Amino acid sequence: MSYLKEKLDEADRSAVIDDTVKLIDDEVASKGGLSGKVLKAGYKAVKKLKNGRMIEKAVDHLLDEFTGALATLHDEYREQDAIKGFDKYLSKNDRSASDALLAITDARVDSAENKIVAKTYKTLRGSAEKHVKDALPGVGRLIDKYVD
């Protein structure tokens, strides 16, 4: 078991989920322009599903896979001394981090039962890499909060 998974397993899962949902909410809210409006509309539609708990359920469902996807990067971060803060390390390694995370959601959407979720994801997928890269510092700070 990776150090990251071990530490996140020790944390209060509901608190990790709540903090992750807040991070997602904040990232979506920060988007501007036409693409931001499209993203916000899609997010709003998805957020209404499952009695308003769709995002929480999705985070809970994907948390372990996302943890696994970032575990190697986290191990590499812990082994080096040059960069302080996992947020900065993820920013420096944004391509590999975003690729690892998006590979999970890409695979999941192909088997999604909820067609609204699948359609929304496919509509927004073209800009997803940029949005994930933008969110990586927040992801790193969230991980540091529970792991360090």
Side-chain angles (χ1 to χ4, degrees):
M1 177 184 303
S2 72
Y3 180 81
L4 179 59
K5 173 129 177 64
E6 181 181 320
K7 289 299 185 180
L8 287 178
D9 282 352
E10 293 172 2
D12 177 356
R13 188 173 181 94
S14 64
V16 174
I17 291 168
D18 289 346
D19 283 349
T20 304
V21 170
K22 181 172 180 356
L23 172 65
I24 296 167
D25 288 346
D26 291 347
E27 285 294 324
V28 171
S30 74
K31 303 302 176 190
L34 182 59
S35 64
K37 286 183 181 184
V38 172
L39 178 65
K40 288 174 185 177
Y43 186 70
K44 183 177 179 181
V46 170
K47 199 165 181 168
K48 289 180 181 178
L49 301 172
K50 302 275 184 187
N51 296 321
R53 305 256 325 138
M54 183 61 174
I55 304 302
E56 290 87 349
K57 289 180 180 292
V59 168
D60 187 29
H61 190 71
L62 294 169
L63 185 60
D64 294 332
E65 287 181 79
F66 284 159
T67 300
L70 294 176
T72 300
L73 282 165
H74 193 264
D75 289 343
E76 292 168 3
Y77 161 70
R78 292 182 64 238
E79 292 171 4
Q80 58 84 48
D81 292 324
I83 300 172
K84 300 298 180 202
F86 193 47
D87 57 331
K88 292 173 185 61
Y89 191 81
L90 286 178
S91 293
K92 185 174 184 335
N93 296 280
D94 62 351
R95 178 65 179 211
S96 55
S98 64
D99 285 350
L101 294 172
L102 288 170
I104 293 166
T105 54
D106 288 348
R108 288 293 185 146
V109 80
D110 289 337
S111 62
E113 293 176 17
N114 189 310
K115 300 306 174 200
I116 294 172
V117 171
K119 183 178 179 184
T120 301
Y121 182 84
K122 288 177 181 178
T123 300
L124 300 172
R125 178 55 175 94
S127 61
E129 185 175 344
K130 179 190 179 326
H131 295 306
V132 170
K133 286 180 179 180
D134 290 347
L136 288 173
V139 170
R141 287 188 295 275
L142 189 148
I143 289 171
D144 280 344
K145 174 180 177 178
Y146 288 99
V147 173
D148 287 341

